[in-house]
Amino acid sequence: MRLDTDLLVIGGGVAGAYAALTACREGANVVLACKTSLRGGATRWAQGGIAAPLDPGDEANHALDTQRAGRGLCEPQAVDVFVREARAAVEALVDLGVAFDPQGALEGGHRRPRIRHTGDATGDAISRALSRALHAWEGRGLHIKTRAFARNLRLAGGRVVGADFLTPEGPLRVRARGGVLLATGGFGQLYPVTTAPPEGTGDGLALAYRAGAALRDLEFVQFHPTAVVAGKRAYLVTEAARGEGAQLLNARGERFMARYDSALELAPRDVVARAIAAEIAATGRVDLDLRPLGAEWAARRFPTVAATLRPLGLELGRDLIPVQPAVHYTVGGVQTDVQGRSTLPGLYAAGEVASSGLHGANRLASNSLSEGLVFGARAARTALAESVLAFAEGDPSPAPGADWAGVPALRERLGAAAGVQRHGTELRAALEGWGLAPAVQPDPAALEAANLALLGELLLRAALERSESRGSHSRSDCPAQWQTPLHTVQWWDGREARQAQVPVGTHMLESTP
């Protein structure tokens, strides 16, 4: 089967949904392809809020908070665009029916209460609103294709012109005059314990890399400080809990954050995650204490968290909640400029799959949902403006050439080597015999495994190359921070894997010599 369209968007989370909605409003024909359902992915899992300047006077403060959290690796132009456009993007959600709480909240790394919530299920409310808006466009220029797994991109004359999919009905080819916009999320499933959804297997990054686009800063993986781990599942306790006054206590009952940062529990996530890991190692346990807030208040303020923890025998606001860091967000991704362009013509990216330059070395809490709105809309408009006149068949980019044998064991190996704290010896050992096998079957599960195999190797190589500690990348054998902040850029040149380090502000095309 074949579909022709103006723009192909892959992924239905906040970035993909808002990009598709923007393109429809511009009068374009759009195919929106999702691996699972339209409301799959990470957006609806988001308990915390969405960050945007409270008013024009807050833009400079929000920019400074973002840059401080990013540890010198944020791209200034991306930060500037974001703080200027995020508030209007959030207000657009209000127009779609998202009923935010009237008061802004405070979260770690923010010096002002600029976080908008709908209780502790903000992502779900946003996902529902965007889904309703998209369904209203079906049959009027929008084709939504669910359960469509992107196998490869198609290129003609060095430009991305579409993609091939596996669907329950058989193979699907989509040709797009405006190219392909990736909004497929991150690769949290590369780790043994993660808050990421099952869909988070890095498919978009692998598609882009195999087609020749550059990936940037894969070594920066953000650990959410406060997850409750039961077996191999991680249950998130929103950052807003600490914004409301919850405290962290070690096994001796000591409130310890003063030893790590003057902002205490409201320090940026990288600081809090490392502090919790250190206290667990030293004392055996860390608990989040909401007892001063009371069980009734906590259940009313955080109903989603309370309902999630209750089956585990934990009552929010009555019990100490045992927490530990868990992989939550992959900061690096497909390198883009502020218009969402990748280094490959016809390929655009937005959201967690992209490295827009906004987050630097460590994402500021609640910037991700608003980033998806701002850069999803920008990428859609740019793709339409750069459309070609005629459809092209194109040739398929290389399909995955390797399977990931022994997935659980390799996840454990990567989690141990590339966790909250890293060491060069362990990174090198993890790379030895990484576990690539010579063939892959053409089905989604095998393709996901191949994508994770590729990204695991790239992450380890990037982490080994970055012989410093910066943001969410901390190496005990290299505790100092380089004076000059550098990005790690990786790409496939058609013959071999390439990797380079380039300064902040380097033009995207200069990053792939």
PDB file of all heavy atoms in Angstrom, residues 249-254 256 279 283-287:
ATOM      1  N   LEU A 249      15.306  11.978  53.077  1.00  0.00           N
ATOM      2  CA  LEU A 249      15.954  11.498  54.289  1.00  0.00           C
ATOM      3  C   LEU A 249      16.749  10.242  53.987  1.00  0.00           C
ATOM      4  O   LEU A 249      16.280   9.367  53.244  1.00  0.00           O
ATOM      5  CB  LEU A 249      14.914  11.176  55.370  1.00  0.00           C
ATOM      6  CG  LEU A 249      13.871  12.252  55.709  1.00  0.00           C
ATOM      7  CD1 LEU A 249      12.877  11.711  56.722  1.00  0.00           C
ATOM      8  CD2 LEU A 249      14.548  13.511  56.230  1.00  0.00           C
ATOM      9  N   ASN A 250      17.937  10.123  54.568  1.00  0.00           N
ATOM     10  CA  ASN A 250      18.691   8.878  54.397  1.00  0.00           C
ATOM     11  C   ASN A 250      18.272   7.861  55.460  1.00  0.00           C
ATOM     12  O   ASN A 250      17.338   8.113  56.243  1.00  0.00           O
ATOM     13  CB  ASN A 250      20.203   9.138  54.415  1.00  0.00           C
ATOM     14  CG  ASN A 250      20.697   9.706  55.744  1.00  0.00           C
ATOM     15  OD1 ASN A 250      20.047   9.575  56.782  1.00  0.00           O
ATOM     16  ND2 ASN A 250      21.856  10.356  55.703  1.00  0.00           N
ATOM     17  N   ALA A 251      18.949   6.715  55.481  1.00  0.00           N
ATOM     18  CA  ALA A 251      18.550   5.638  56.390  1.00  0.00           C
ATOM     19  C   ALA A 251      18.698   6.020  57.852  1.00  0.00           C
ATOM     20  O   ALA A 251      18.065   5.406  58.731  1.00  0.00           O
ATOM     21  CB  ALA A 251      19.353   4.381  56.080  1.00  0.00           C
ATOM     22  N   ARG A 252      19.514   7.041  58.142  1.00  0.00           N
ATOM     23  CA  ARG A 252      19.662   7.515  59.527  1.00  0.00           C
ATOM     24  C   ARG A 252      18.633   8.582  59.879  1.00  0.00           C
ATOM     25  O   ARG A 252      18.684   9.164  60.963  1.00  0.00           O
ATOM     26  CB  ARG A 252      21.085   8.054  59.724  1.00  0.00           C
ATOM     27  CG  ARG A 252      22.174   6.987  59.627  1.00  0.00           C
ATOM     28  CD  ARG A 252      23.531   7.521  60.050  1.00  0.00           C
ATOM     29  NE  ARG A 252      24.125   8.400  59.044  1.00  0.00           N
ATOM     30  CZ  ARG A 252      24.985   8.012  58.120  1.00  0.00           C
ATOM     31  NH1 ARG A 252      25.340   6.731  58.055  1.00  0.00           N
ATOM     32  NH2 ARG A 252      25.499   8.858  57.257  1.00  0.00           N
ATOM     33  N   GLY A 253      17.720   8.860  58.937  1.00  0.00           N
ATOM     34  CA  GLY A 253      16.698   9.865  59.184  1.00  0.00           C
ATOM     35  C   GLY A 253      17.195  11.283  59.014  1.00  0.00           C
ATOM     36  O   GLY A 253      16.512  12.233  59.398  1.00  0.00           O
ATOM     37  N   GLU A 254      18.376  11.460  58.374  1.00  0.00           N
ATOM     38  CA  GLU A 254      18.959  12.788  58.191  1.00  0.00           C
ATOM     39  C   GLU A 254      18.478  13.411  56.884  1.00  0.00           C
ATOM     40  O   GLU A 254      18.445  12.744  55.848  1.00  0.00           O
ATOM     41  CB  GLU A 254      20.489  12.685  58.157  1.00  0.00           C
ATOM     42  CG  GLU A 254      21.114  12.096  59.401  1.00  0.00           C
ATOM     43  CD  GLU A 254      22.571  11.739  59.187  1.00  0.00           C
ATOM     44  OE1 GLU A 254      22.989  11.541  58.023  1.00  0.00           O
ATOM     45  OE2 GLU A 254      23.305  11.648  60.197  1.00  0.00           O
ATOM     46  N   PHE A 256      19.672  15.328  54.079  1.00  0.00           N
ATOM     47  CA  PHE A 256      21.065  15.390  53.670  1.00  0.00           C
ATOM     48  C   PHE A 256      21.372  16.364  52.541  1.00  0.00           C
ATOM     49  O   PHE A 256      22.542  16.620  52.236  1.00  0.00           O
ATOM     50  CB  PHE A 256      21.535  13.993  53.245  1.00  0.00           C
ATOM     51  CG  PHE A 256      20.705  13.392  52.131  1.00  0.00           C
ATOM     52  CD1 PHE A 256      20.925  13.690  50.792  1.00  0.00           C
ATOM     53  CD2 PHE A 256      19.681  12.502  52.448  1.00  0.00           C
ATOM     54  CE1 PHE A 256      20.150  13.134  49.790  1.00  0.00           C
ATOM     55  CE2 PHE A 256      18.898  11.930  51.439  1.00  0.00           C
ATOM     56  CZ  PHE A 256      19.136  12.249  50.106  1.00  0.00           C
ATOM     57  N   GLU A 279      23.913   8.684  48.946  1.00  0.00           N
ATOM     58  CA  GLU A 279      23.379   8.383  50.277  1.00  0.00           C
ATOM     59  C   GLU A 279      22.900   6.937  50.384  1.00  0.00           C
ATOM     60  O   GLU A 279      23.014   6.315  51.439  1.00  0.00           O
ATOM     61  CB  GLU A 279      22.230   9.345  50.600  1.00  0.00           C
ATOM     62  CG  GLU A 279      22.664  10.793  50.783  1.00  0.00           C
ATOM     63  CD  GLU A 279      23.569  10.994  51.998  1.00  0.00           C
ATOM     64  OE1 GLU A 279      23.309  10.381  53.054  1.00  0.00           O
ATOM     65  OE2 GLU A 279      24.534  11.778  51.871  1.00  0.00           O
ATOM     66  N   THR A 283      24.394   4.777  53.260  1.00  0.00           N
ATOM     67  CA  THR A 283      23.526   4.419  54.387  1.00  0.00           C
ATOM     68  C   THR A 283      22.560   3.284  54.076  1.00  0.00           C
ATOM     69  O   THR A 283      21.959   2.735  55.002  1.00  0.00           O
ATOM     70  CB  THR A 283      22.700   5.641  54.857  1.00  0.00           C
ATOM     71  OG1 THR A 283      21.665   5.934  53.899  1.00  0.00           O
ATOM     72  CG2 THR A 283      23.586   6.864  55.036  1.00  0.00           C
ATOM     73  N   GLY A 284      22.374   2.966  52.791  1.00  0.00           N
ATOM     74  CA  GLY A 284      21.519   1.840  52.434  1.00  0.00           C
ATOM     75  C   GLY A 284      20.129   2.198  51.954  1.00  0.00           C
ATOM     76  O   GLY A 284      19.422   1.350  51.400  1.00  0.00           O
ATOM     77  N   ARG A 285      19.699   3.453  52.136  1.00  0.00           N
ATOM     78  CA  ARG A 285      18.312   3.766  51.781  1.00  0.00           C
ATOM     79  C   ARG A 285      18.122   5.281  51.750  1.00  0.00           C
ATOM     80  O   ARG A 285      18.774   6.021  52.501  1.00  0.00           O
ATOM     81  CB  ARG A 285      17.381   3.150  52.826  1.00  0.00           C
ATOM     82  CG  ARG A 285      15.900   3.443  52.665  1.00  0.00           C
ATOM     83  CD  ARG A 285      15.109   2.851  53.836  1.00  0.00           C
ATOM     84  NE  ARG A 285      13.695   3.206  53.779  1.00  0.00           N
ATOM     85  CZ  ARG A 285      12.718   2.368  53.485  1.00  0.00           C
ATOM     86  NH1 ARG A 285      12.995   1.097  53.240  1.00  0.00           N
ATOM     87  NH2 ARG A 285      11.459   2.763  53.463  1.00  0.00           N
ATOM     88  N   VAL A 286      17.203   5.739  50.879  1.00  0.00           N
ATOM     89  CA  VAL A 286      16.735   7.124  50.901  1.00  0.00           C
ATOM     90  C   VAL A 286      15.221   7.101  50.777  1.00  0.00           C
ATOM     91  O   VAL A 286      14.654   6.349  49.976  1.00  0.00           O
ATOM     92  CB  VAL A 286      17.362   7.957  49.763  1.00  0.00           C
ATOM     93  CG1 VAL A 286      16.604   9.275  49.564  1.00  0.00           C
ATOM     94  CG2 VAL A 286      18.827   8.253  50.059  1.00  0.00           C
ATOM     95  N   ASP A 287      14.570   7.944  51.578  1.00  0.00           N
ATOM     96  CA  ASP A 287      13.113   8.044  51.565  1.00  0.00           C
ATOM     97  C   ASP A 287      12.683   9.463  51.237  1.00  0.00           C
ATOM     98  O   ASP A 287      13.354  10.435  51.618  1.00  0.00           O
ATOM     99  CB  ASP A 287      12.524   7.664  52.931  1.00  0.00           C
ATOM    100  CG  ASP A 287      12.724   6.196  53.250  1.00  0.00           C
ATOM    101  OD1 ASP A 287      12.251   5.351  52.467  1.00  0.00           O
ATOM    102  OD2 ASP A 287      13.349   5.896  54.289  1.00  0.00           O
TER     103      ASP A 287
END
